[in-house]
Amino acid sequence: MDGCHVANVTVIGAQWGDEGKGKIVDWLASRADAVVRFQGGHNAGHTLVVGDTTYKLSLLPSGIVTGTLSIIGNGVVLDPWALKAEIEKLEGQGVTISDDNFAIADNCPLILPLHRDLDGLRETAAGSGKIGTTGRGIGPAYEDKVGRRAIRVCDLAHLDALEPQLDRLCAHHDALRAGFDQPPVDREALLDELREIAPFVLQYAQPVWKRLKKVRKAGARVLFEGAQGVLLDVDHGTYPFVTSSNTVSGAAAAGSGLGPGSTGFVLGIVKAYTTRVGSGPFPTELNDEVGQRLGENGHEFGTVTGRKRRCGWFDAVLVRQSCAISGVTGIALTKLDVLDGFEKVKICTGYRLNGKIMDYFPSHAADQAAVEPIYEEMDGWQETTAGARSWADLPAQAIKYVQRVQELIETPVALISTSPEREDTILVRDPFVD
Ligand code: GDP
Ligand code: IMO
Ligand code: MG
């Protein structure tokens, strides 16, 4: 706690992203006073289903749909043009977005067209060794932030003084582009584009740490919305097949400007099976009709890129590790309904590597690719869990599955989600009442 005695909640993905974070954040948002994105960018794709309406958010915090104060923290990399397009799309769906309910940290680094260029050029050059990025320029933008060459939101108010910064940025990018046989950055065109978009972004820009301080002083609850998942974390994930930010709960404080005690209840979002989009190791991946069926039942196509997600059984070793690394207080188990009708379901409880049994996921990429899952098999359930809103609505065998999951990951279940719809959620333990 940060001395304010009201619990905050930090939502993070505990696998490779797409666990259903958006749905859960939306469900919790009506009881929060602010929803804050603290890392990532528009590589995220969060789907919210409210009645007949589906909202797809990439950059905007999922609290925007309930009208909750929504904040983009400094840890996010912001593409101003993607932001404008998304705001216009949401407004077209009847969502109100103004400086009353939306703010952007003025120290956010920008994603520029040159970042997207570089992301694409590198991926193409890498051929079969590519990361499988979302192509949004996320990695290059974070590199420039850490390399102290980024253009930030606050710079948009000082574009006439941008020359020295542009010199540094372009010196770096022109050299890289030359290596790919690309022309240098068109500085004038870039400046023109920035001049055009600046007023739109600046209307929301402010020191959000200050706004959050005020909110906390008033005793308000903050809901931090993570993007991606722990296994895509740049330190703890399946490096180098990761995104370029820290996705763990610890990033919430640094990425928003609140202290480390402010993360509160850490809610790990966990899919009842496993998916991954993009390249990289995936021990329980199923390249058979079972994997196919999981993908079909779960509609596993990327929100951002439309790519087919790779599917496999639940991996308890990975999730136990994610929960430990991220200090997860409790999990939301999502998409339980996707397992409906399977005769048998399997859970990975350990790995075999070079004749040894492992109870954790090793760090080295070659070892990560070589581990073989050890499975425990359980009877499935033939009844439907879809739309269940209480424990009593769940078949006995589904309850056994949930209980086995929480035992193996050594972390209790706080919520269960049984359909894309906001209200199809079982509350086991309220994260806001820690
Ligand atoms: P996020 O990136 O973690 O927010 O997840 P995505 O929105 O990318 O992917 C999750 C998908 O599963 C979305 O299409 C959701 O509408 C859907 N979804 C979320 N929870 C459930 C659930 O409990 N059951 C089913 N069947 N679908 C769900
Ligand atoms: P949400 O928030 C799933 C993956 C990409 C790629 C790797 C690096 O919807 O869960 P990047 O563009 O970030 O440099 O790509 O990370 N990736 C995601 N996978 N869900 C996401 O976000 C992702 N964001 C990035 O597929 O493998
Ligand atoms: Mg997603």
Side-chain angles (χ1 to χ4, degrees):
M1 299 298 295
D2 57 4
C4 295
H5 307 300
V6 178
N8 292 337
V9 174
T10 299
V11 165
I12 51 139
Q15 290 150 316
W16 278 293
D18 303 326
E19 299 91 349
K21 297 176 292 292
K23 167 183 164 160
I24 299 296
V25 170
D26 169 61
W27 187 77
L28 289 167
S30 58
R31 292 190 294 132
D33 301 289
V35 178
V36 186
R37 277 281 307 266
F38 55 89
Q39 47 71 231
H42 65 312
N43 50 347
H46 300 170
T47 310
L48 285 51
V49 180
V50 186
D52 293 335
T53 313
T54 298
Y55 303 93
K56 289 183 186 294
L57 307 177
S58 284
L59 202 40
L60 292 170
S62 296
I64 203 82
V65 171
T66 43
T68 312
L69 171 63
S70 292
I71 292 179
I72 293 185
N74 55 276
V76 169
V77 279
L78 183 102
D79 180 324
W81 300 277
L83 175 78
K84 185 160 184 279
E86 190 170 321
I87 288 181
E88 286 170 359
K89 189 181 78 179
L90 267 286
E91 283 178 339
Q93 290 188 286
V95 176
T96 305
I97 301 168
S98 72
D99 58 0
D100 267 347
N101 68 341
F102 180 56
I104 302 172
D106 59 2
N107 48 350
C108 242
L110 298 182
I111 301 184
L112 302 173
L114 52 84
H115 294 123
R116 206 173 44 234
D117 291 349
L118 188 57
D119 198 348
L121 290 166
R122 282 184 179 149
E123 285 284 275
T124 306
S128 62
K130 69 176 188 219
I131 305 286
T133 71
T134 59
R136 299 294 189 263
I138 304 292
Y142 274 118
E143 287 172 38
D144 281 349
K145 164 181 159 166
V146 179
R148 296 164 292 194
R149 330 172 259 279
I151 309 234
R152 305 192 301 168
V153 166
C154 51
D155 294 319
L156 293 173
H158 301 276
L159 288 178
D160 291 339
L162 202 65
E163 285 299 325
Q165 276 166 273
L166 269 184
D167 286 344
R168 259 214 315 277
L169 184 71
C170 293
H172 181 78
H173 279 270
D174 288 347
L176 289 171
R177 293 166 71 96
F180 290 104
D181 274 337
Q182 294 297 307
V185 175
D186 184 340
R187 292 172 60 143
E188 274 319 302
L190 177 59
L191 258 177
D192 284 348
E193 286 181 87
L194 288 173
R195 274 197 198 97
E196 199 190 330
I197 198 80
F200 181 81
V201 179
L202 287 171
Q203 66 182 311
Y204 306 111
Q206 54 181 266
V208 301
W209 66 268
K210 220 160 173 297
R211 180 106 176 231
L212 285 168
K213 179 181 169 203
K214 199 167 141 203
V215 164
R216 288 297 289 155
K217 272 222 158 132
R221 305 169 188 212
V222 179
L223 175 55
F224 295 96
E225 177 178 16
Q228 292 84 48
V230 175
L231 298 170
L232 289 169
D233 182 280
V234 68
D235 287 293
H236 297 287
T238 45
Y239 194 91
F241 301 100
V242 292
T243 192
S244 298
S245 65
N246 281 116
T247 59
V248 292
S249 58
S256 64
L258 280 170
S262 59
T263 42
F265 189 107
V266 179
L267 183 66
I269 314 300
V270 175
K271 204 179 275 196
Y273 50 100
T274 314
T275 63
R276 166 161 214 173
V277 54
S279 322
F282 180 172
T284 62
E285 182 171 16
L286 295 168
N287 290 308
D288 58 9
E289 62 282 1
V290 178
Q292 186 83 11
R293 186 167 159 201
L294 285 170
E296 279 164 17
N297 287 5
H299 304 289
E300 295 295 354
F301 293 91
T303 313
V304 173
T305 58
R307 287 178 293 176
K308 200 166 175 219
R309 296 175 184 148
R310 301 153 64 191
C311 296
W313 292 121
F314 186 76
D315 189 333
V317 183
L318 286 182
V319 175
R320 182 168 61 227
Q321 191 157 327
S322 292
C323 288
I325 286 165
S326 227
V328 170
T329 320
I331 67 157
L333 189 68
T334 62
K335 305 192 88 160
L336 184 63
D337 54 295
V338 173
L339 296 179
D340 290 355
F342 279 89
E343 199 179 319
K344 298 280 180 193
V345 286
K346 290 187 187 179
I347 299 180
C348 169
T349 58
Y351 302 128
R352 226 172 249 113
L353 179 67
N354 304 325
K356 283 204 196 109
I357 307 268
M358 314 267 299
D359 66 354
Y360 70 98
F361 199 48
S363 298
H364 196 268
D367 289 341
Q368 292 185 346
V371 295
E372 284 172 33
I374 300 168
Y375 286 116
E376 177 176 297
E377 193 175 74
M378 296 174 75
D379 286 336
W381 53 94
Q382 303 314 309
E383 306 89 332
T384 178
T385 66
R389 295 186 184 185
S390 75
W391 272 114
D393 293 338
L394 295 180
Q397 206 51 39
I399 293 177
K400 267 197 190 160
Y401 183 78
V402 175
Q403 283 171 338
R404 188 62 185 138
V405 163
Q406 65 178 0
E407 205 171 271
L408 285 167
I409 65 172
E410 297 167 17
T411 311
V413 171
L415 301 173
I416 300 170
S417 167
T418 57
S419 101
E421 164 62 35
R422 180 193 276 167
E423 295 305 328
D424 290 338
T425 306
I426 301 174
L427 178 64
V428 180
R429 175 182 169 194
D430 190 342
F432 275 123
V433 187
D434 194 8

